[in-house]
Amino acid sequence: MANGSDDRRGFLRGLTAATGLAAAAPLARAQSGGGGDYSFLPGYARTQQYKSLKQSSFDTTGGNRDYWPIAAGGVREVFNATGPGVITHIWFTIAARSDQHLKEIVLRGYWDGNEKPSIEAPIGDFFGLNLGQYVLYESAYLACSPGKSLNCYFAMPYQKSARFTVTNEGKQPIGAFYSNIDYQTVPALPSDVLYFHAQYRQAAPCVPVTGEAAKVNLDGKQNYVFAETRGRGHLMGVTLGVLQNADGWWGEGDDMIFADDENKPSINGTGSEDYFLGSWDFGGVDTAVPFAHRQYGAPLIVAGERTGGRYHCYRWHGDNPVTFQRYLKHTIEHGHANDRGDNFFSVCYWYQNTPYTDFPALAPVAQRIPKVVTPR
C-alpha cells in the first residue's frame, strides 16, 4: 500500500510541477531562495519558471481567416513543438458540411518523435461526445461550450517533442477548422514525468452472453474493454457513449479494473450507473435527469431505457488515479454478466512512463457512426 500511495503522490506532484497556475506554488518555492512557509500566497502571485506559448490557426497574412480548411481525406498538423514542455489546454471549433464530422475527424497525438500515436480517437469521442452529437457540459478535464467549442485541460508533458494532427476521413471537406493549443516551455521536467494517452474503442454492438453464463461473471473475459496497456502509470478515467439496441436498462454491468494481475480484477464495482457516480438507472425511464459535475456526469440522456436510447457518460479518477506497475486493463460489463448487446463507444485516458502503446486498429468511419442494431 505504501508504494501505491507514493505513486499517487508522485503522479500529482509531477502533474502540478508541469502545469499552469497549480504549478506556480511549488515552482516558486523551489526558486525563492528564502526560508519560511508562504503557503498563504496563491501560486499565481509568485514568479513562474515557464514560458507561455500558443500555436493556433490564426491568419498569418494579418487577415481574418483564422482557420484551416481540410479537404476530404486530408491531414492537417495542428501542433508541433520541441521540448521539454507541457500542453496545458486544447480548444477546437469546427465548421463542416457533414453532420457526422465529430466521428469522421480523427485526432492523433505523438510524443518524443514516435511514429505511432499515443492519442488516437475520433475528435468528438476524445472530447466526450461519443455519439457524434454536440452536448453542452463542463467537467474537470473536458468541456463543450455554446458555439460548439471543444476544450481539453489534461496536462500533456513531453521531454523532446509533441505533434498533433487531425485527419478528415469523411467524404466532404471541412470548411473551417479553428485551433488554439496553449503550452509551456520549461527548463526541465522531473525524471518521473508521465506521458498522456487516450485510446478509442467501440463495440457496435456488444455481443451478449446467453444461457447460464449470463448469470455469473467472475473473470471478466467477455467484458467491454476500455483500454489495455503495459507499463507503469495511472488511469485517469473514461468517456462512454451508449446507444441502446433494445428496451430495458443497459447499466446493470459492473466495472472491473485489472491492475498488474491479468487474471483477477483488483477493483470491482456495483453497476454501470454507480461507476459513473449516478444511481438507480440515473433516475429511471421517464424521470432521468442529465447531469455534469467536475469528476463525473451523464450530460446526455435521451429516450432512456428504450430502443434507440442515447447516453453520454464520463468518470474521472482525479481524486485517486488508479495506479499500475506493469499492466492495466479497464473493463465494464455490458448488462449483468454481459447479457446485453447495446452499442458502446468509448475513450480511455491515462498516463504512463512510455510514450507509445500498441492500439487496436481504429474502426472505419462507417462503423463509427452510431446506428441501432436490432436482431434479424
Side-chain angles (χ1 to χ4, degrees), residues 39-219:
S39 59
F40 57 87
L41 278 173
Y44 57 78
R46 307 191 70 176
T47 303
Q48 309 299 304
Q49 287 185 332
Y50 59 83
K51 181 178 181 179
S52 300
L53 294 168
K54 179 197 295 287
Q55 293 187 20
S56 75
S57 57
F58 81 101
D59 189 338
T60 57
T61 70
N64 195 35
R65 295 174 62 87
D66 295 320
Y67 56 83
W68 297 307
I70 305 176
V75 180
R76 177 74 204 195
E77 185 176 85
V78 298
F79 186 83
N80 195 327
T82 55
V86 186
I87 293 173
T88 59
H89 172 236
I90 297 173
W91 171 92
F92 297 141
T93 192
I94 307 162
R97 297 178 185 174
S98 173
D99 292 336
Q100 303 295 340
H101 65 270
L102 289 176
K103 284 290 189 177
E104 294 168 344
I105 301 170
V106 178
L107 175 68
R108 293 182 173 92
Y110 306 80
W111 306 128
D112 291 358
N114 280 276
E115 294 183 358
K116 295 184 178 180
S118 296
I119 299 166
E120 184 178 54
I123 203 163
D125 293 82
F126 178 84
F127 288 95
L129 307 178
N130 304 86
L131 296 180
Q133 66 185 97
Y134 287 94
V135 177
L136 302 186
Y137 80 102
E138 179 187 11
S139 75
Y141 307 109
L142 300 177
C144 180
S145 304
K148 300 181 179 180
S149 60
L150 308 173
N151 289 273
C152 172
Y153 284 95
F154 278 112
M156 304 180 189
Y158 50 93
Q159 295 280 12
K160 299 177 182 178
S161 65
R163 178 173 175 261
F164 276 72
T165 66
V166 292
T167 303
N168 179 12
E169 295 187 355
K171 296 180 179 180
Q172 299 185 67
I174 298 169
F177 189 99
Y178 290 81
S179 174
N180 283 277
I181 299 180
D182 300 300
Y183 69 111
Q184 303 165 348
T185 58
V186 296
L189 290 169
S191 60
D192 61 351
V193 74
L194 302 175
Y195 295 90
F196 178 74
H197 289 70
Q199 181 183 117
Y200 172 81
R201 294 203 182 198
Q202 68 174 60
C206 296
V207 178
V209 174
T210 59
E212 290 298 313
K215 296 181 180 179
V216 177
N217 174 32
L218 297 176
D219 58 23

Side-chain angles (χ1 to χ4, degrees), residues 268-284:
N268 289 271
T270 58
S272 302
E273 77 270 48
D274 303 351
Y275 174 68
F276 291 105
L277 301 183
S279 59
W280 303 112
D281 307 11
F282 292 137

Side-chain angles (χ1 to χ4, degrees), residues 332-352:
I332 196 166
E333 294 177 315
H334 42 97
H336 172 68
N338 298 310
D339 66 356
R340 285 190 61 94
D342 299 305
N343 301 313
F344 281 16
F345 306 88
S346 69
V347 177
C348 188
Y349 311 79
W350 75 94
Y351 290 85
Q352 73 175 58

